């Protein structure tokens, strides 16, 4: 690990009020090195320069703390709580794998429709000894109906590129009543989020808040949207695979 990597990550995480241990810095660097190496033979990310990976992947993944209240952050850190988080459309493990490294008490499921991404993530999980981390291959519309996964998670997160209505149909069925769905969106997504209000209501959710902020040491603006699950998702949802993207709920 270069001293430069450690200094940048520690400083930018500190700007989010996150104190990283030396072990966590080593794990984050290990992830970065494995990501760049694997990216030579498969397309995981267009972002590979160290500074960009730190800001646009690692710090961006951790930026959820800008929206969460102190009580929930304390629960996430507490090994007695066993908070369960699922990352829908995890891709290269973002944000779920980064959140697992920094908040190791959580049980994390990394969910994606492309098997080869998950093979890479399994390698990272083994190399970094990330106990309490699982990968699941499939379509969210199918697993959202599976009793083993439906409404079993305290938190669902997603940085996937999809409109808020479709994303809510992918994610909210996994969330327990009173749990949270956190969507990582661009700063200019307010209209898209407003248009998804009806869909969120149909799925049993209620928008709890939107937090707009700039990532540390950058000019990148983000909008974090929190949706509270206030009642169970009706059995009608999610609809069959492919429908939420082609015909978003209104």
């Amino acid at each position: 690990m270069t001293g430069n990597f450690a200094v940048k990550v520690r400083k930018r995480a500190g700007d989010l009020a996150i104190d990283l241990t030396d072990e966590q810095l080593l794990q984050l660097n290990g992830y970065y090195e494995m990501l760049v190496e694997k990216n030579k033979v498969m397309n995981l990310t267009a972002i590979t320069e160290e500074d960009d990976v730190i800001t646009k992947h690692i710090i961006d993944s951790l930026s959820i703390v800008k929206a969460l209240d102190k009580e929930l952050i304390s629960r996430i850190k507490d090994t007695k709580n066993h908070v369960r988080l699922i990352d829908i459309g995890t891709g290269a493990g973002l944000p779920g794998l980064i959140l697992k490294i920094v908040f190791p008490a959580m049980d994390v499921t990394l969910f994606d429709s492309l098997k080869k991404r998950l093979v890479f993530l399994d390698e990272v999980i083994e190399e970094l000894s990330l106990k309490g981390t699982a990968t699941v291959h499939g379509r969210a519309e199918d697993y959202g109906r599976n009793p083993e996964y439906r409404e079993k998670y305290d938190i669902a997160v997603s940085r996937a590129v999809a409109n808020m209505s479709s994303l809510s149909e992918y994610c909210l069925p996994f969330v327990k009543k009173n749990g949270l769905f956190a969507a990582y969106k661009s700063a200019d997504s307010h209209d898209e989020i407003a248009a998804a209000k009806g869909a969120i209501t149909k799925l049993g959710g209620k928008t709890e808040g939107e937090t707009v902020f700039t990532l540390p040491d950058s000019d990148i603006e983000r909008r974090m949207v929190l949706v509270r699950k206030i009642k169970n998702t009706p059995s009608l949802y999610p609809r069959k695979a492919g429908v939420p993207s082609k015909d978003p709920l209104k």
Side-chain angles (χ1 to χ4, degrees), residues 131-183:
K131 295 181 175 62
T133 312
T135 58
V136 177
H137 172 239
R139 297 288 294 259
E141 301 97 319
D142 297 328
Y143 275 78
R145 290 181 168 276
N146 185 325
E148 187 177 345
Y149 297 89
R150 186 180 178 89
E151 295 178 335
K152 299 297 185 185
Y153 293 88
D154 302 285
I155 306 171
V157 296
S158 186
R159 288 204 326 168
V161 180
N163 73 68
M164 189 65 187
S165 178
S166 300
L167 205 57
S168 296
E169 189 169 357
Y170 297 145
C171 296
L172 277 171
F174 290 94
V175 181
K176 296 177 181 177
K177 187 178 177 182
N178 298 320
L180 279 177
F181 162 42

Side-chain angles (χ1 to χ4, degrees), residues 13 18-20 24 27-28 58 62 65 76-77 96-106 130:
I18 295 173
D19 295 321
L20 297 173
Q24 287 169 332
Q27 288 177 319
L28 290 169
I58 295 174
L62 296 177
V65 301
I76 287 170
K77 292 179 177 179
L97 191 75
I98 304 300
L99 292 172
K100 174 63 181 179
I101 290 172
V102 176
F103 301 107
M106 286 197 299
L130 298 177

Side-chain angles (χ1 to χ4, degrees), residues 36-50:
V36 172
E37 188 62 29
K38 181 62 72 172
N39 207 61
K40 294 176 181 176
V41 295
M42 66 177 285
N43 183 26
L44 286 167
T45 177
I47 299 168
T48 56
E49 292 299 320
E50 182 181 274

Side-chain angles (χ1 to χ4, degrees), residues 4-20 25 49-60 62-63 65-66 214-218 220:
N4 199 39
F5 180 92
V7 168
K8 287 180 180 178
V9 175
R10 178 165 272 152
K11 194 270 181 188
R12 293 173 195 175
D15 290 341
L16 297 175
I18 295 173
D19 295 321
L20 297 173
L25 286 168
E49 292 299 320
E50 182 181 274
D51 195 70
D52 286 340
V53 170
I54 291 171
T55 297
K56 298 177 182 179
H57 283 340
I58 295 174
I59 299 303
D60 186 45
L62 296 177
S63 67
V65 301
K66 298 283 287 186
T214 303
L215 294 178
D217 289 349
S218 79
I220 301 170

